[in-house]
Amino acid sequence: QADEQVGDGVAKARIGERVWVWNGQWKRPFGTAAEYIALPAIQAVKLPDNVSFEVGACLGIPAMTAYHAVVLAEAGKGSTVLVTGGAGAVSQYVIQFAKAAGATVIATVSSPEKAALAREVGADHTIDYKREDVGSRVMEITGNKPVDCIIDMDIASNAKYVSAVLKPKGSVI
């Protein structure tokens, strides 16, 4: 197409390539919601043929945010992670990355349907924060052992139970 172009120094073969992008909206009015977007070539990452565009659309901010949170939290084998909003886009990736690293994952949710979504991607336990006391349930699940880290998408709403469930010098990401 005449509207599809590459910038100086970028191979013309990139035109039509299957890609996923990150930071598409930074300093741009429409980001990835636009029909066309101009990005540095490094931000248009090849999408393997066996990965759907739907998956590719989530790799940018949700997956990268989750990955960085899990790394910062040092979540891994033997650790216990509390993830808030376990059915949300970022939290769903946090659950998967933390499980892949070997962590035990507890996810907060707001309904039985959302609990099923969190469990489907790997959460070991779910807590319905609308019907259960999060602090009490975390301690019940862990046998009164505080969690190693909390990865939270809404700390202002959840700060009330951090000191009750987080180990000394634990991380809140």
Side-chain angles (χ1 to χ4, degrees):
Q1 265 203 25
D3 291 342
E4 295 175 353
Q5 300 175 28
V6 292
D8 293 340
V10 179
K12 293 253 187 231
R14 297 244 18 218
I15 294 174
E17 187 176 81
R18 289 171 42 89
V19 298
W20 66 274
V21 302
W22 52 277
N23 260 4
Q25 189 153 356
W26 188 67
K27 294 188 177 183
R28 294 171 194 86
F30 303 110
T32 55
E35 186 175 355
Y36 290 94
I37 185 171
L39 294 169
I42 195 170
Q43 286 178 244
V45 183
K46 187 167 175 44
L47 184 67
D49 290 338
N50 65 339
V51 177
S52 72
F53 282 120
E54 290 82 5
V55 169
C58 294
L59 290 177
I61 298 304
M64 289 179 69
T65 299
Y67 177 78
H68 286 290
V70 170
V71 169
L72 285 170
E74 297 179 350
K77 191 172 182 105
S79 67
T80 302
V81 179
L82 176 62
V83 181
T84 64
V90 173
S91 295
Q92 293 254 305
Y93 283 110
V94 166
I95 292 167
Q96 293 174 68
F97 293 144
K99 287 302 297 177
T104 298
V105 177
I106 303 168
T108 66
V109 294
S110 61
S111 71
E113 295 79 20
K114 290 181 178 182
L117 288 171
R119 281 194 205 97
E120 185 178 313
V121 297
D124 297 292
H125 307 277
T126 58
I127 300 171
D128 187 331
Y129 66 84
K130 289 190 172 187
R131 294 168 185 80
E132 302 175 278
D133 178 82
V134 174
S136 298
R137 281 289 292 131
V138 166
M139 297 315 271
E140 181 182 313
I141 290 166
T142 64
N144 288 320
K145 182 181 176 206
V147 299
D148 298 289
C149 62
I150 300 171
I151 299 178
D152 197 310
M153 304 309 129
D154 186 13
I155 192 65
S157 296
N158 302 315
K160 59 188 171 268
Y161 58 75
V162 169
S163 63
V165 302
L166 185 64
K167 76 176 189 178
K169 299 186 182 180
S171 299
V172 178
I173 309 295

